[in-house]
Amino acid sequence: MRIFKNRGDIFISSVNKKKSLEQKILLSSLVIIVVFTVIFVTVLAIKNDFSAKKFFQPENLQASQVVVEENDVPLPQVEGKSNFVTMVNSDGNLLFVVLLQVDMDNVSYKASVLQADTVCDGKALNDIYKKSGAVNVKKAVDTLLGTDFDYYISMDNKSFSALLDMMGDFNYPILSDIKVKSKNYGVGYSLKLNAGEQKINGQQYINLIRYYLEEKDSTTSANDVVLNSLLQLVNKDNLKISENIFRELVTTAETNITVRDFSMAGDRLTVLADERTGAGLYNAAAEYKDERVTKNSLQKIKGYFVK
């Protein structure tokens, strides 16, 4: 085929024309395939978030970023035993005395509640308290058990109740209906609880212990209340506010527990408050005869509180 008539005419071969047509068809097909591929990949990328960052990110990177759960964190190594004497009073009268050992060698609590009129070396604890104070009650208990109690705490009824309320209620099974109003030890109290699982607040805690000691003559039941309260109230939530609880304690109680003592007890509290711990409970019941702890039960209590 000739184009133009003058010199320099351009000739296009009919064979080349056929090839050119084939090339155009192939090129068009290629363009269609490329466009379709781009559209398909784009839609797929939007749907599945195929970003360049994710493309070049190693496949196992997320697997290597393991979230460390609290249960995977090892607990501190703790040891040692600490004995506490807690005295609860009202209007200058001693209501009861709680002996407690926190045993970190075996991760356990040991409790023994004593009646206010318990005779130690010829004198009732209540009389010692009224005449010479909490320190001398602690000394009388040391003499009675033949061991040294590290710390003493003396709180009035209202302050002790408020401290427990700060820590929250705890669940306790009441075996039968309780309805009592009494003025034993010259200090009145009343308690009304229905049989079944009940939430116990601070004042109910105090009155329930008094009920078991004064009405039922059962130190075993009184101890059980103390042990169950410890098992439930020494928890993660209260560990978070332990500084506030300690501040409330030292500002409302007479005690020899210091800030240093509290600071040094951090690991112990962490272990006791952890759900994995499952602290053991030991009920050291005091039996009485003529307001004196019997020799047999006294020996048993000594065995629990020895270090």
Side-chain angles (χ1 to χ4, degrees), residues 1 31 51 62 73 101 108 115 146 150 163 199 216 244:
M1 180 184 295
V31 170
S51 64
Q62 289 185 333
V73 178
Q101 183 180 93
S108 61
Q115 298 173 357
D150 306 282
L163 183 68
K199 285 189 175 296
K216 295 298 183 180
N244 295 335

Side-chain angles (χ1 to χ4, degrees), residues 62-82:
Q62 289 185 333
S64 66
Q65 294 175 343
V66 178
V67 177
V68 178
E69 297 181 0
E70 289 185 13
N71 287 342
D72 294 329
V73 178
L75 293 173
Q77 295 296 315
V78 291
E79 61 181 3
K81 301 175 182 179
S82 298

Side-chain angles (χ1 to χ4, degrees), residues 78 80 102-109 271-272 277-282:
V78 291
V102 180
D103 180 357
M104 300 311 300
D105 293 338
N106 301 295
V107 191
S108 61
Y109 299 112
V271 172
L272 292 170
T277 299
L281 305 177
Y282 294 90

Side-chain angles (χ1 to χ4, degrees), residues 255-278:
T255 181
N256 64 338
I257 301 176
T258 65
V259 174
R260 184 176 183 276
D261 294 324
F262 172 71
S263 178
M264 294 290 288
D267 284 348
R268 295 184 177 192
L269 289 173
T270 298
V271 172
L272 292 170
D274 195 279
E275 295 174 352
R276 293 168 289 174
T277 299

